[in-house]
Amino acid sequence: MGQALGCIQVKQSKVAVREQFGKFDNVLEPGCHCLPWCFGYKIAGELSLRVRQLEVRCETKTKDNVFVNVVASIQYRALPEKIADAFYKLSNANSQIQAYVFDVIRASVPKLELDAVFEQKSDIAKAVEEELAKAMSTYGYEIVQTLIVDIVPDVHVKRAMNEINAAARHRLAAKEKAEAERQAIVDGLRDSVLVFSENVPGTSAKDVMDMVLVTQYFDTMKEIGASSKSSSVFIPHGPGTVRDVASQIREGLLQADYAKE
């Protein structure tokens, strides 16, 4: 704002507050204005009409006793029709807004568990905005928008959450891998049985399967006996046992085929 020979210039996007003998007189819009000093007129100060942004970081505790830092971004501006209130009623608008944000967040977040805080951050922002709009309009300010831009749990809680998520993903991957490997074994065994029965006349798929199972049964018994770390193992042994094993595997193959379809 320039001053020369009793004239002043108010810049764009600002307004000037004029007083006469120390009392509020008028609000001067952007442009050039005469200011007769001899009649007690003076400029008490200027106020910007631009939208300003304030970032507020508030530490609080959730319902499940997790400390979090909630970061709120407040966009606000002075109301042109309430410039006098905005200029005279508040000495520091930022401090006043921050106090209301703290009050609302510390009243809302402790009612929610940590997961719910993330899910309902738009509701928290709305509650903050409603409270601010009601309170700050009295002081000549308009709340343009309120956003919860970040929710940061305690570093130890954040690490634990990441570990739980990673463990769950590992379990899912291991399960899918095991199912894929089991299906591959079933498919390979079935294909081998079909090829053998087609190339050897007079054999059925059941005969080939029984032969394969008997071979695998004795190979397993051999590995158990040859292992240096194995202790004595007593298992039922005999033709009936092999027949039972064969029946169980055949049933498993049929179930796998049914599930695949």
Side-chain angles (χ1 to χ4, degrees):
M1 179 175 61
Q3 300 185 25
L5 301 177
C7 293
I8 64 163
Q9 180 182 348
V10 181
K11 294 182 179 180
Q12 186 65 34
S13 75
K14 291 186 176 181
V15 292
V17 177
R18 186 177 69 184
E19 293 180 345
Q20 184 180 25
F21 296 115
K23 182 180 179 181
F24 171 73
D25 177 68
N26 198 8
V27 176
L28 303 183
E29 302 289 337
C32 188
H33 302 272
C34 291
L35 196 69
W37 310 105
C38 58
F39 292 107
Y41 290 105
K42 72 171 186 176
I43 298 301
E46 290 181 325
L47 201 60
S48 174
L49 296 179
R50 292 179 178 178
V51 174
R52 287 177 277 180
Q53 181 165 309
L54 174 65
E55 189 172 278
V56 180
R57 180 178 294 268
C58 176
E59 184 181 36
T60 185
K61 187 174 69 170
T62 64
K63 187 177 181 180
D64 47 350
N65 297 319
V66 177
F67 282 92
V68 294
N69 278 302
V70 180
V71 183
S73 179
I74 315 298
Q75 297 176 350
Y76 68 100
R77 68 184 183 95
L79 290 168
E81 65 274 15
K82 292 186 176 181
I83 293 300
D85 290 337
F87 186 80
Y88 289 104
K89 286 188 176 182
L90 277 183
S91 59
N92 191 329
N94 286 357
S95 296
Q96 188 76 2
I97 291 173
Q98 181 174 295
Y100 281 108
V101 172
F102 279 2
D103 182 63
V104 176
I105 289 179
R106 287 175 176 168
S108 302
V109 173
K111 299 177 182 178
L112 305 171
E113 294 185 351
L114 182 60
D115 291 341
V117 173
F118 283 95
E119 294 170 359
Q120 300 181 29
K121 70 175 187 177
S122 59
D123 295 336
I124 298 172
K126 184 178 180 181
V128 172
E129 183 172 336
E130 289 177 352
E131 183 66 23
L132 280 177
K134 182 173 60 176
M136 296 304 294
S137 63
T138 306
Y139 301 106
Y141 284 92
E142 175 191 15
I143 304 301
V144 178
Q145 192 170 23
T146 301
L147 300 172
I148 301 297
V149 295
D150 202 4
I151 299 172
V152 185
D154 179 81
V155 61
H156 300 294
V157 176
K158 192 174 182 179
R159 187 182 301 116
M161 292 172 65
N162 290 335
E163 290 175 354
I164 291 172
N165 190 15
R169 292 181 180 273
H170 285 317
R171 285 196 302 269
L172 180 59
K175 180 181 178 181
E176 292 181 351
K177 181 180 178 182
E179 291 178 353
E181 290 177 349
R182 183 170 61 243
Q183 187 61 47
I185 292 171
V186 170
D187 292 343
L189 186 58
R190 181 188 57 196
D191 294 342
S192 299
V193 170
L194 292 175
V195 170
F196 191 90
S197 61
E198 290 174 357
N199 293 334
V200 180
T203 60
S204 64
K206 180 180 181 302
D207 296 332
V208 179
M209 178 62 76
D210 289 341
M211 182 183 67
V212 171
L213 293 177
V214 169
T215 302
Q216 291 182 344
Y217 177 78
F218 282 110
D219 287 343
T220 303
M221 295 291 292
K222 181 180 178 181
E223 290 178 2
I224 292 176
S227 176
S228 59
K229 296 182 180 180
S230 63
S231 58
S232 298
V233 177
F234 296 93
I235 58 175
H237 178 64
T241 302
V242 178
R243 183 172 59 251
D244 292 340
V245 172
S247 299
Q248 293 172 10
I249 294 181
R250 278 196 299 272
E251 183 179 352
L253 289 173
L254 292 175
Q255 291 177 354
D257 288 338
Y258 179 77
K260 185 176 181 181
E261 294 174 358

